[in-house]
Amino acid sequence: MRETNQTTVILPIHELNPITEELFKKSLKSINEQQLKPAEVLIVHTPQVKIKIQEILDELKFDKNYYQLVENKTDKTDFCSQVNLGVEKTETDYFS
């Protein structure tokens, strides 16, 4: 059983290119390697990157149920808007 705390990690993904894709993978690996895991991980993304994110999760063989996808279907996809959408969906008291 994985030990968790009451924190949500929000990963706002606006686009994926070779550089941001590698950073995204490193973020997922880092979360996965933590002994004290966040209660939830929300990957807030635009429709354009949804399939690529699912492919990355498949490639890394991480529990897809642990990493929750939150699709931003609005035209506000800047960093702050992505984080704010994640905060709206957060079910814990704290987020990062």
Side-chain angles (χ1 to χ4, degrees), residues 36-51:
L36 183 60
K37 305 253 190 265
E40 60 182 356
V41 178
L42 301 180
I43 302 171
V44 182
H45 62 87
T46 60
Q48 295 84 357
V49 297
K50 181 178 183 176
I51 292 172

Side-chain angles (χ1 to χ4, degrees), residues 52-79:
K52 186 63 179 173
I53 288 172
Q54 291 172 329
E55 289 172 356
I56 290 169
L57 290 172
D58 287 342
E59 172 190 329
L60 297 175
K61 297 182 176 152
F62 290 156
D63 179 3
K64 284 195 251 183
N65 295 321
Y66 181 62
Y67 298 91
Q68 299 174 45
L69 300 181
V70 177
E71 187 169 341
N72 183 351
K73 296 179 182 179
T74 73
D75 60 348
K76 295 180 182 177
T77 59
D78 60 280
F79 176 80

Side-chain angles (χ1 to χ4, degrees), residues 5-27:
N5 64 35
Q6 287 304 307
T7 303
T8 296
V9 171
I10 300 170
L11 298 174
I13 307 297
H14 172 72
E15 66 177 331
L16 287 172
N17 58 48
I19 294 170
T20 57
E21 184 176 326
E22 190 58 36
L23 293 171
F24 177 56
K25 287 179 183 180
K26 285 182 181 182
S27 297

